[in-house]
Amino acid sequence: MRIVDLANGTETQKTIARFGDEASYIALDAYHAQVHESARQAVIEFNNHHISRAEQHLQALEQASSHVLTHINTLIACIEAKRFTME
């Protein structure tokens, strides 16, 4: 699953050109997919009354979310650094 442009649901060429070589952009995908998969699994386990398993999936979701936020913050810092060098 690739990070997509929210407006049209596709990864734009501009986004790829801007961030495609950034390690955080590349790493973001796996963690983003893990967030969704962990949430899906947590719901399944909860609906099957396996609360401890659901909680394990929620913990995995939290860890993956933390990685997503770290990579997003790194990309924001990259944008800010590029803006600063352009001024």
Side-chain angles (χ1 to χ4, degrees), residues 13-85:
Q13 291 301 317
K14 183 177 177 182
T15 302
I16 295 169
R18 190 170 192 182
F19 300 112
D21 293 334
E22 296 289 335
S24 282
Y25 180 75
I26 295 165
L28 190 58
D29 277 339
Y31 292 114
H32 181 232
Q34 187 178 356
V35 166
H36 289 276
E37 181 60 20
S38 295
R40 189 180 74 77
Q41 289 296 324
V43 170
I44 290 169
E45 295 296 353
F46 181 83
N47 287 339
N48 288 327
H49 307 287
H50 300 141
I51 304 307
S52 65
R53 290 184 198 166
E55 289 173 346
Q56 290 173 351
H57 289 292
L58 290 174
Q59 288 174 352
L61 185 151
E62 285 182 35
Q63 290 175 344
S65 292
S66 177
H67 287 287
V68 166
L69 292 174
T70 296
H71 290 299
I72 288 173
N73 287 332
T74 300
L75 292 171
I76 290 169
C78 175
I79 292 167
E80 290 173 349
K82 287 180 182 178
R83 273 194 199 143
F84 181 73
T85 59

